[in-house]
Amino acid sequence: MRIAFYGRVSTEDHQDPATSRAWQLLQAESLVSGHGRVVAEFFEVGHSRALPWARRPEAGALLAALTDPDRGFDAIVIGSSERAFHGN
């Protein structure tokens, strides 16, 4: 299975984007191990999780890719749900 990874880091002031991306991707790859591999990445830097996905550049690109039947991936894995979603 071809899998797209989505991750997010809030701001460069509070977290190192490279380190945050690395541990989120490692967590995602561990989750999908044996089921497929990550073939696409959508990683958000500096946009609040309180924003709707459509208003975040990378999340919006992921949503747009979902409408393309030739998108190149079959599933999505989230690096850290606490960073991707807000509220209930």
Side-chain angles (χ1 to χ4, degrees):
M1 185 178 302
R2 303 165 305 164
I3 302 168
F5 160 73
Y6 177 79
R8 189 193 70 80
V9 63
S10 57
T11 65
E12 294 181 44
D13 295 342
H14 295 101
Q15 302 167 0
D16 173 48
T19 302
S20 186
R21 179 195 159 275
W23 73 258
Q24 288 182 60
L25 181 57
L26 184 64
Q27 184 171 316
E29 289 176 330
S30 176
L31 179 67
V32 301
S33 179
H35 301 286
R37 64 187 176 86
V38 173
V39 298
E41 292 187 30
F42 299 86
F43 191 76
E44 207 78 68
V45 178
H47 297 276
S48 172
R49 66 184 174 148
L51 287 175
W53 273 45
R55 290 188 47 211
R56 299 182 219 165
E58 291 296 310
L62 176 55
L63 292 175
L66 289 174
T67 66
D68 180 359
D70 297 320
R71 64 185 163 263
F73 59 88
D74 309 300
I76 300 168
V77 63
I78 304 294
S80 171
S81 61
E82 294 85 12
R83 293 173 188 266
F85 305 107
H86 175 23
N88 293 329

